[in-house]
Amino acid sequence: MRDIVLTNGKITTLDPAQPTAEALAIRAGKVVGIGTTDAILKEFGKDADQIDLHGRTVIPGLNDSHTHLIRGGLNYTMELRWDGIPSLRDALELLRIQAVNTPPPQWVRVVGGWSEFQFQERRMPTLEEINAAAPDTPVFILHLYGQALLNQAAIRALGYDTNPPDFDRGLIERDQQGRSTGMLIAKPSAAILYQTLALAPRLQQTDQIISTRHFMRELNRLGITSVIDAGGGGQYYPDDYAVVQQLAEQDQLTVRIAYNLFAQKPQQELDEIRRWVQLTRPGASDGLLQLIGAGENLTWAAADFENFLEPRPDLAATMEQDLQHIVEVLVSNRWPFRVHATYNESIERFLQVFETVHRSIPFDGLHWMIDHAETISDRNIERVRELGGGIAIQHRMAFQGEYFVDRYGQQAAQRTPPIRRMLELGVPVGAGTDATRVASYNPWVCLYWLVTGKTLGGLSLYPAENTLDRLTALRLWTQGSAWFSSEEQQKGTLALGQYADLAVLSADFFSVEPEDIQRLTSVLTMVDGKVVYAVDEFQNLAPPLPPVSPDWSPLTRPGGQQGTTLSATSHHTLVHQHTVGCHHHSGTAYRETFNPWSGGCGCFAF
């Protein structure tokens, strides 16, 4: 591989020894030079490929410390995204268009990334509106962790009127005649929602591979170069990891993936974890794909579901005993672990278990972490620090903040979570999204939330003392997240010897208006010193990507990509046709649509 030299930029390195630079040099996937343009060209320029940054801002590649890329990738090309859509009218029109284009027996799925408060109408769609938009094609719309909306075609396909299943954690709403209305209600957990979604048809593996590649390219578009995948319900090891494993073997991963294994079957979690310990081991990595530990679910007895439409659930009485046996196995075998914990009441009990295990089997620097921690107390933050743990936080409150305030009050919402206090107390903190089933996978929405303290609907949740300056927020998305996969010496800064993972931004993160933070994207993304995404003046560097598949995917028409609006049918949209090359295809006709999320255009085959 030839050296690569990037020149004439505004580079934020996050390296205290040299915080800013104009240029950097890359060799064999690592940063080998950083400094002024003249100095870097003099030392490395003779035999290097040069990229002029044209004064753009460069940051270390973003690293989502808690997301679900593996599961999301298997479904990405099937899902209609409402992320960033400004009105319910547009969202329903997108639904109507996709219903027409989706063949039987497939469903239209809107699974996460939106809030009714983002819409101009500031309300949910009604079941009548969904049925009018899609009278014949099954539709599943997930609303946070609390509800799912089904149209009548989906009810018929599932048999929820004639032969409904029994759900121990949820209910199917019925009218006065006993017929299903189409509303599924989580009480308190999302089990009914996810079990229903799992009944929908799946993509064939060939399409899952293409879907995952397109999902990674979408993350690259947003400047993401690394993620930590926290597993998920129905995500079994090793079967559901076969796609990313194949992509890794074929050198087609464009995002570094560190992943945790998620215990799946209630009352069988300990046996499952013992099997993992015999089968595999954390740490083995080629730099792009690695197992890093267990969680975020260790035992279903410890699941404290963050459904703010319902009261806080009480954990099972057997939780301590179940969790202790599991943590003993993990710590004695030096397996890092993470645990989902929304409420301080749950964290209190978890920490008692961890402290008990630590007294007999010392953690001794083992990286373990609390996920979410929206209502954690100062004392419990200190206890996490004393055991050497970290806290992974996400922007779920940007989507659910209004519901939290309605249930617990504005004052209680002011520390959800208390990120500034975590940092003051010296706990490792990494930022992420928990995408894709509730929050958007867009890191800039999270960074906007961290800096402004606002929800998607504009509600100010936090006082100034619990918001972050932009540099600190960026550190949580880079250096902070690297701790959670024990890679703080390999990535998170643009320093000598670290991975050449970086994003060249569409605008300057440090100077744009606060509201414009959420609209940022990358125009050039590099992973391991290789270009994985490129547009605008860097378009000629864009690597190829297979066409979207299946051909009925929402991605093949306007509005299918995160944050884009409709075609000419909508008065909100600027549409014209032209012939261009883009990262999906070349030399074919495209429809270009205005993107309110990024302030740019997205190309879609039609």
Side-chain angles (χ1 to χ4, degrees), residues 123-188:
R123 68 172 177 86
M124 292 275 292
T126 65
L127 290 166
E128 290 77 13
E129 289 170 328
I130 293 169
N131 280 292
D136 302 313
T137 305
V139 170
F140 177 99
I141 300 175
L142 180 66
H143 177 233
L144 306 176
Y145 292 111
Q147 303 167 328
L149 289 73
L150 305 178
N151 68 348
Q152 289 299 310
I155 293 170
R156 292 192 296 270
L158 292 164
Y160 274 14
D161 262 345
T162 58
N163 189 29
D166 292 326
F167 294 102
D168 62 347
R169 289 170 291 175
L171 60 89
I172 303 171
E173 182 183 76
R174 299 191 177 278
D175 62 20
Q176 293 180 345
Q177 287 73 44
R179 296 171 300 194
S180 171
T181 65
M183 181 72 75
L184 306 183
I185 301 173
K187 281 187 172 291

Side-chain angles (χ1 to χ4, degrees), residues 424-462:
E424 290 171 351
L425 292 173
V427 173
V429 179
T433 63
D434 199 13
T436 60
R437 289 188 169 177
V438 172
S440 170
Y441 51 75
N442 190 332
W444 300 104
V445 178
C446 181
L447 284 156
Y448 166 77
W449 165 77
L450 288 169
V451 169
T452 68
K454 292 182 179 180
T455 68
L456 292 188
L459 175 65
S460 293
L461 291 174
Y462 314 130

Side-chain angles (χ1 to χ4, degrees), residues 30 65 249 307 322 391 407 586:
K30 302 287 183 66
S65 67
E249 291 168 356
N307 176 10
D322 294 348
I391 302 174
R407 180 165 295 278
S586 62

Side-chain angles (χ1 to χ4, degrees), residues 335-337 363 365-369 388-389 482-488:
W335 268 60
F337 64 89
F363 285 19
L366 186 74
H367 283 203
W368 69 274
M369 61 219 70
W483 183 91
F484 291 79
S485 57
S486 302
E487 294 180 286
E488 53 270 58

Side-chain angles (χ1 to χ4, degrees), residues 326-498:
I326 288 168
V327 174
E328 286 172 343
V329 170
L330 293 171
V331 177
S332 62
N333 285 278
R334 306 305 296 168
W335 268 60
F337 64 89
R338 63 195 309 157
V339 61
H340 172 113
T342 299
Y343 299 101
N344 189 62
E345 291 84 349
S346 305
I347 295 170
E348 183 83 22
R349 293 174 64 181
F350 297 163
L351 289 172
Q352 290 173 0
V353 172
F354 300 160
E355 289 163 348
T356 297
V357 174
H358 175 66
R359 284 192 289 270
S360 58
I361 312 173
F363 285 19
D364 282 350
L366 186 74
H367 283 203
W368 69 274
M369 61 219 70
I370 297 284
D371 280 307
H372 315 313
E374 274 86 357
T375 67
I376 191 171
S377 68
D378 283 2
R379 176 56 192 139
N380 282 338
I381 297 172
E382 293 170 349
R383 293 169 72 191
V384 171
R385 180 194 62 201
E386 290 161 5
L387 282 174
I391 302 174
I393 58 93
Q394 302 80 36
H395 66 319
R396 304 185 313 171
M397 289 295 290
F399 293 80
Q400 303 187 84
E402 285 85 356
Y403 288 120
F404 187 96
V405 169
D406 284 347
R407 180 165 295 278
Y408 298 109
Q410 181 69 50
Q411 185 173 356
Q414 292 181 1
R415 285 168 43 101
T416 53
I419 302 169
R420 181 75 68 86
R421 189 60 177 152
M422 296 173 188
L423 296 173
E424 290 171 351
L425 292 173
V427 173
V429 179
T433 63
D434 199 13
T436 60
R437 289 188 169 177
V438 172
S440 170
Y441 51 75
N442 190 332
W444 300 104
V445 178
C446 181
L447 284 156
Y448 166 77
W449 165 77
L450 288 169
V451 169
T452 68
K454 292 182 179 180
T455 68
L456 292 188
L459 175 65
S460 293
L461 291 174
Y462 314 130
E465 57 265 27
N466 200 35
T467 58
L468 303 180
D469 64 85
R470 299 187 194 198
L471 190 63
T472 301
L474 181 61
R475 288 188 189 279
L476 298 192
W477 264 94
T478 51
Q479 292 172 300
S481 294
W483 183 91
F484 291 79
S485 57
S486 302
E487 294 180 286
E488 53 270 58
Q489 302 305 314
Q490 286 81 45
K491 61 186 178 184
T493 68
L494 293 174
L496 297 180
Q498 291 225 347

Side-chain angles (χ1 to χ4, degrees), residues 561-573:
Q561 188 182 35
Q562 185 274 135
T564 54
T565 59
L566 299 179
S567 62
T569 57
S570 171
H571 67 280
H572 294 294
T573 306

